[in-house]
Amino acid sequence: MSEPKSTGKLTAESRNISASSLKDRLSKLTVTPINPVAALHANVNFVPSHIPRKRRLQMLAVAGWSVMIVITTVVFLLLCSIPPLWPFLAIYLVWARCFDDSPEHGGRLSPWFRSIRYWKYFADYYPASFLKEADLPADRPYVFGYHPHGIIGMGALATFATEGNANLPTIPAPYSQGPKATGFSTAFPGIKPHLLTLTTNFNMPFYRDILLALGVCSVSKQSCSNILKAGPGSAITIVVGGAAESLSARPGTADLTLRRRLGFIKLAIQHGADLVPVFSFGENDIYEQMPNEKGTTVYALQRKFQSVFGFTLPLFHGRGLLNYNLGLMPYRRRIVAVIGKPIHVEQCDKPDIEAVVRVQKMYIEELTRIWNTYKDEFAKARLQELNIID
């Protein structure tokens, strides 16, 4: 039986189908943005044109600090382009590298510089504040342990290296002690705080002098000992988790690298310094971080970088100067550092491991108590509970 031959002509029905199909394809093209700038504009949440002057100043203060290393480097290079200044710059570099031991001996803390209005705008941006749970007598040294590290540790800077002014939200009784500000010296008279950072930060011209004026010092063992030996009221703040913990910093989480960190406990025992746990609610919330779970190539590369250079580079993002969801500035999210009750330790020059572990257990218990007490007030949007991962 032979098949019917095709005439090659379109029927009325097939014409209707073809016309309908073409119409659908054209409609899809009209809703797909052809201009990439238009597509970007559709995904970026831009800042309105009318923003209060105070909020703009807050944003500029945080933006300035976020790129302060770049600013000071550019200023130094510009000065290097002026030949008459070469002798002075050479003297400065030789003095900074060979003779100035301030990073290892308590810095050059300037109460005036810590209190300038710039830091008020910086703290009010988030806003950053702290809650004081107990008085700290100025008759002994102190070691503050700050948790978590976050991406950069903006809350640690606002609380322990400036006297910025940010109101604290109301706390339920019996923990309410009224509104406080991030003016550490006012809340803890007689205590001289020193936030500690990597020694390499003091190799950068001009930036090192800003850090020293804020009372920031090197985190080296010798630096810690020199500060604690300075006498009663001397205090150091160590961001205990370090670079390793920054890789776990994500909004809604509280993963702490702590169990193997015994050095700061031993240091406190050797100098008879009371240990003060500090938990900063919101520190992990001010940046988003790209996925880098253990076992991934990204995580392996970050840890390798850390082993070589002593610090790591989390792949993070935040907001920008002119938008709310694309850039490297931190988000405006509240940071509240709860400064817990001091743990008194007996001085011992050579504490054994059992004594160190015993004090560490007390420290973790106090840190856990802080979390459980305030999590429903300051971590309402948490995705998980406190987790000590290492």
Side-chain angles (χ1 to χ4, degrees):
M1 184 175 180
S2 62
E3 295 182 357
K5 294 182 180 180
S6 175
T7 62
K9 295 182 180 180
L10 293 174
T11 64
E13 183 180 357
S14 64
R15 288 195 191 96
N16 290 335
I17 294 175
S18 299
S20 176
S21 177
L22 180 61
K23 185 178 180 180
D24 290 340
R25 292 182 181 182
L26 288 174
S27 65
K28 289 179 180 179
L29 285 175
T30 59
V31 299
T32 303
I34 299 175
N35 189 343
V37 176
L40 178 63
H41 190 280
N43 294 323
V44 176
N45 185 11
F46 286 96
V47 175
S49 57
H50 300 290
I51 296 292
R53 179 174 175 270
K54 182 178 180 180
R55 288 178 66 86
R56 291 193 183 278
L57 292 174
Q58 293 168 358
M59 180 183 64
L60 289 175
V62 173
W65 181 255
S66 299
V67 294
M68 188 59 69
I69 293 178
V70 176
I71 293 174
T72 53
T73 301
V74 170
V75 170
F76 180 77
L77 292 177
L78 288 175
L79 293 177
C80 287
S81 68
I82 306 175
L85 296 180
W86 289 355
F88 300 100
L89 294 175
I91 292 173
Y92 168 77
L93 289 177
V94 171
W95 168 76
R97 292 294 183 92
C98 304
F99 297 101
D100 184 21
D101 58 359
S102 297
E104 300 287 332
H105 290 82
R108 293 191 292 270
L109 189 150
S110 169
W112 170 82
F113 188 68
R114 285 168 55 98
S115 303
I116 61 176
R117 197 168 185 82
Y118 179 92
W119 303 117
K120 169 178 169 52
Y121 289 123
F122 178 87
D124 285 349
Y125 171 84
Y126 301 97
S129 54
F130 70 80
L131 171 65
K132 166 186 169 182
E133 280 203 322
D135 292 325
L136 300 180
D139 59 355
R140 68 198 72 174
Y142 292 92
V143 174
F144 292 88
Y146 186 91
H147 313 267
H149 182 284
I151 297 295
I152 298 178
M154 295 294 197
L157 180 77
T159 302
F160 293 98
T162 79
E163 303 291 339
N165 185 16
N167 292 328
L168 185 72
T170 304
I171 310 298
Y175 303 100
S176 177
Q177 297 188 21
K180 298 293 181 184
T182 51
F184 186 92
S185 299
T186 301
F188 299 100
I191 306 298
K192 190 176 181 181
H194 296 279
L195 180 64
L196 304 184
T197 187
L198 294 174
T199 305
T200 53
N201 285 323
F202 298 96
N203 295 331
M204 302 177 187
F206 301 157
Y207 181 68
R208 70 189 303 277
D209 301 290
I210 296 175
L211 294 180
L212 292 172
L214 293 173
V216 180
C217 295
S218 168
V219 76
S220 69
K221 183 178 180 181
Q222 187 60 51
S223 172
C224 295
S225 296
N226 290 336
I227 295 172
L228 294 176
K229 288 178 181 177
S234 299
I236 60 175
T237 301
I238 301 176
V239 186
V240 178
E245 191 173 272
S246 68
L247 299 181
S248 303
R250 289 183 177 81
T253 67
D255 295 331
L256 305 186
T257 301
L258 180 57
R259 293 201 185 277
R260 298 183 183 179
R261 303 299 171 102
L262 300 175
F264 77 106
I265 304 286
K266 183 178 180 180
L267 184 73
I269 297 175
Q270 290 174 331
H271 292 86
D274 283 7
L275 278 162
V276 185
V278 180
F279 194 94
S280 184
F281 292 89
E283 185 69 70
N284 280 350
D285 298 338
I286 61 176
Y287 283 108
E288 300 281 351
Q289 186 170 180
M290 294 180 65
N292 63 335
E293 288 75 14
K294 287 185 178 181
T296 62
T297 302
V298 173
Y299 183 83
L301 290 174
Q302 288 174 324
R303 293 307 297 263
K304 182 65 176 179
F305 187 95
Q306 178 190 349
S307 65
V308 174
F309 296 99
F311 65 96
T312 189
L313 296 173
L315 301 178
F316 64 92
H317 68 88
R319 58 161 291 178
L321 281 171
L322 301 177
N323 70 83
Y324 292 125
N325 59 344
L326 182 64
L328 297 179
M329 278 185 58
Y331 293 110
R332 281 184 183 266
R333 293 172 181 170
R334 180 179 62 171
I335 300 175
V336 180
V338 178
I339 302 177
K341 300 174 182 177
I343 300 171
H344 182 68
V345 298
E346 296 294 334
Q347 194 276 334
C348 179
D349 291 331
K350 295 182 179 181
D352 55 29
I353 187 64
E354 288 79 10
V356 174
V357 171
R358 183 171 62 253
V359 174
Q360 186 201 44
K361 181 180 179 181
M362 297 168 59
Y363 182 91
I364 293 176
E365 289 175 352
E366 173 64 11
L367 194 63
T368 304
R369 182 196 66 80
I370 294 173
W371 167 263
N372 290 331
T373 302
Y374 299 101
K375 63 182 180 181
D376 291 333
E377 179 67 23
F378 299 134
K380 294 179 181 179
R382 64 187 182 277
L383 303 177
Q384 63 182 51
E385 297 297 315
L386 178 66
N387 182 26
I388 300 177
I389 58 178
D390 199 358

